[in-house]
Amino acid sequence: MNHRSAYRVPKSEVLKAALDLFSRKGYSDAKMADIARKVGMSVGALYLRFSNKEELFMELIRDQSKDFIEHTRSLPLHEPLNALKTYIAINIDHALHKRQILSIIYREYNLLSLKDLRHEFFKTQHGIIRDILRAGVKNKAFKAMDINDTASMIFASIRGTIMLKLIFGIGDAKSMGNSLFKLITNGIRKDAS
Amino acid sequence: MNHRSAYRVPKSEVLKAALDLFSRKGYSDAKMADIARKVGMSVGALYLRFSNKEELFMELIRDQSKDFIEHTRSLPLHEPLNALKTYIAINIDHALHKRQILSIIYREYNLLSLKDLRHEFFKTQHGIIRDILRAGVKNKAFKAMDINDTASMIFASIRGTIMLKLIFGIGDAKSMGNSLFKLITNGIRKDAS
DNA sequence: CGTTCATATGAACCATCGTTCAGCATATAG
DNA sequence: CTATATGCTGAACGATGGTTCATATGAACG
């Protein structure tokens, strides 16, 4: 039956090369031939592994998104302040670790499937932040507030900080996390109301 | 000498069409033929106005960026809290007004010329925020703080909020501005330190 | 009117790139 | 060793799209 079964170059290696090219050049400007060349194989062999470019791309996204959510499980909700600090740190860490895939997801935003992915991501993260805020308000650690709006703003601030790093190339991961945490928790007013 | 001098379709109208197409499809997927068709002229006529696609694109960016900075002059620095509120409102307003060009600038970030533009923008805005913060600290309206870091975080929060609206399609301009202002000034802790 | 020339047209040119496929290589089974 | 299934190759194909150019149009001027 099966005479051979393994590809000379495994999918994972192709995806690695594709990640680099897509993130540096964008979807349209990353050529199938580039990807093939980068891993030292022919275009034809590429098409044995993936039926077309779009599928290769989506497989890459799927592969890289796998552990996207798992990181934020098991935050210490009984210590809301701590949970928030950890949440911010995890987010920034993770983003910088997966900066390549993120830069693609931010950019290629006419690809319909990415739109769904992003929305899904927002919903999940918004939920997590809401839980932290709700716990904090109950706890009297946080003031009364509009939890939905505040969660959106916190989400936006974190993503903005990541963008500052990714797109503008500005800032340092650790100190950025701290500054952001301080800003969100304490604000800048001397006599906060 | 000059028998005629006006184009049947003026540049401004071409740029308007180009803006729509570039922002909806991105640089690569917006075709010269599309742009020509949209304003009811031939491809050849397009090349009488612009020497090539790249130049058309850059002219569009330049045209749209003209009043980008002017909006933030003359903030009331003697009232730092007010200045900050106004600054945030202006930024969000302006971004939503120019959402099309912004979505391009965020996306096409391998175009070298855009990189410069973005950096320039950050520097200017960071400076403005710094001025507000410095005035506030002097004024004792704001706490002592690392002005540079805080300015970066405020910039990031505002851009993140705008991104939330532009990319994720989430939020409402006015209430977003208010929520963000509240978050930045007061923070979420009950007993802010 | 006839000449001139800025402006307009769109077919043709050319380069690029996703995709296919006929031919080749080789590992495994019998 | 032979047969065969599997994997590999890269030239060729077809579509696409930026750019050019031979040709046309018609306004202004004498």
Side-chain angles (χ1 to χ4, degrees):
Chain A
M1 316 269 144
N2 274 352
H3 287 259
R4 254 177 309 173
S5 63
Y7 293 116
R8 186 164 60 73
V9 178
K11 266 194 176 188
S12 63
E13 206 165 318
V14 177
L15 290 180
K16 209 175 114 194
L19 175 60
D20 178 56
L21 287 166
F22 279 129
S23 68
R24 279 195 296 114
K25 305 186 163 201
Y27 183 78
S28 288
D29 290 339
K31 319 297 179 196
M32 291 300 265
D34 292 345
I35 299 174
R37 190 171 338 106
K38 196 173 167 90
V39 289
M41 63 198 274
S42 66
V43 206
L46 212 51
Y47 278 85
L48 290 176
R49 291 160 182 72
F50 309 93
S51 59
N52 55 42
K53 189 181 180 182
E54 170 97 20
E55 206 209 68
L56 193 167
F57 181 72
M58 285 316 298
E59 198 149 328
L60 172 64
I61 299 285
R62 246 176 279 128
D63 179 64
Q64 290 280 316
S65 305
K66 261 188 309 211
D67 62 318
F68 217 80
I69 281 140
E70 294 171 23
H71 275 273
T72 43
R73 300 216 187 293
S74 71
L75 289 168
L77 282 187
H78 55 285
E79 291 178 80
L81 210 57
N82 226 311
L84 184 63
K85 188 172 199 150
T86 310
Y87 177 77
I88 293 176
I90 287 176
N91 255 270
I92 292 183
D93 254 35
H94 187 263
L96 296 184
H97 202 241
K98 296 260 171 175
R99 59 170 71 203
Q100 285 176 303
I101 202 70
L102 267 186
S103 73
I104 301 178
I105 292 180
Y106 280 139
R107 273 153 90 186
E108 307 291 341
Y109 75 116
N110 13 19
L111 289 182
L112 209 52
S113 27
L114 281 192
K115 214 169 275 183
D116 295 345
L117 208 81
R118 266 196 309 264
H119 225 86
E120 195 58 42
F121 180 69
F122 171 76
K123 260 175 43 191
T124 318
Q125 300 304 305
H126 192 263
I128 294 174
I129 300 174
R130 259 188 348 245
D131 286 347
I132 298 177
L133 293 182
R134 209 175 284 125
V137 171
K138 205 171 187 178
N139 220 2
K140 313 257 182 208
F142 298 160
K143 324 174 180 173
M145 63 177 89
D146 181 320
I147 292 203
N148 255 304
D149 276 15
T150 310
S152 292
M153 287 308 108
I154 291 179
F155 176 84
S157 304
I158 296 174
R159 294 339 272 180
T161 303
I162 289 167
M163 188 172 61
L164 193 66
K165 180 73 185 171
L166 289 188
I167 297 192
F168 292 81
I170 287 157
D172 149 77
K174 199 159 290 178
S175 87
M176 269 163 36
N178 281 334
S179 297
L180 186 57
F181 175 69
K182 253 199 282 185
L183 181 61
I184 290 176
T185 48
N186 296 329
I188 58 176
R189 276 182 71 175
K190 201 156 198 172
D191 47 346
S193 62
Chain B
M1 318 264 146
N2 273 352
H3 287 259
R4 253 176 311 171
S5 62
Y7 293 116
R8 185 166 59 74
V9 178
K11 265 195 178 188
S12 62
E13 205 166 319
V14 177
L15 291 180
K16 208 174 114 194
L19 176 60
D20 178 57
L21 286 167
F22 279 130
S23 68
R24 280 195 295 113
K25 306 185 164 203
Y27 183 78
S28 288
D29 289 340
K31 319 296 178 196
M32 291 300 266
D34 292 345
I35 299 174
R37 191 171 336 106
K38 196 173 167 89
V39 289
M41 64 198 275
S42 66
V43 206
L46 213 50
Y47 279 85
L48 289 177
R49 289 159 182 73
F50 309 93
S51 60
N52 55 42
K53 189 181 179 181
E54 170 96 20
E55 205 209 69
L56 192 167
F57 181 72
M58 286 316 298
E59 199 148 326
L60 172 63
I61 299 285
R62 245 175 279 128
D63 178 65
Q64 289 282 316
S65 306
K66 260 187 311 213
D67 60 318
F68 217 81
I69 281 139
E70 294 172 23
H71 275 272
T72 43
R73 300 215 186 293
S74 71
L75 289 168
L77 282 187
H78 54 285
E79 291 177 81
L81 210 59
N82 225 312
L84 184 62
K85 188 172 199 153
T86 310
Y87 177 77
I88 292 176
I90 288 176
N91 255 269
I92 291 182
D93 255 37
H94 187 262
L96 296 184
H97 202 242
K98 297 259 172 177
R99 61 170 70 204
Q100 286 175 301
I101 201 70
L102 267 186
S103 73
I104 301 178
I105 292 180
Y106 280 139
R107 273 153 92 186
E108 309 289 343
Y109 76 118
N110 13 19
L111 289 181
L112 208 54
S113 27
L114 281 192
K115 214 169 276 184
D116 295 346
L117 209 81
R118 267 195 310 263
H119 224 87
E120 195 58 44
F121 180 69
F122 171 76
K123 260 175 42 190
T124 318
Q125 300 305 305
H126 192 263
I128 295 174
I129 300 173
R130 260 190 346 246
D131 287 346
I132 298 177
L133 292 182
R134 209 174 285 125
V137 171
K138 203 172 188 180
N139 219 2
K140 313 256 182 209
F142 299 160
K143 322 174 180 171
M145 63 176 89
D146 180 320
I147 292 202
N148 255 303
D149 275 15
T150 310
S152 293
M153 288 307 109
I154 292 178
F155 176 85
S157 305
I158 296 174
R159 292 342 271 180
T161 303
I162 289 166
M163 188 173 59
L164 194 67
K165 180 74 185 170
L166 289 188
I167 298 193
F168 292 81
I170 287 158
D172 150 77
K174 199 161 290 178
S175 87
M176 268 163 37
N178 282 334
S179 297
L180 186 58
F181 175 69
K182 252 198 284 186
L183 181 61
I184 290 176
T185 48
N186 295 330
I188 58 176
R189 275 183 73 175
K190 199 155 203 174
D191 46 348
S193 62

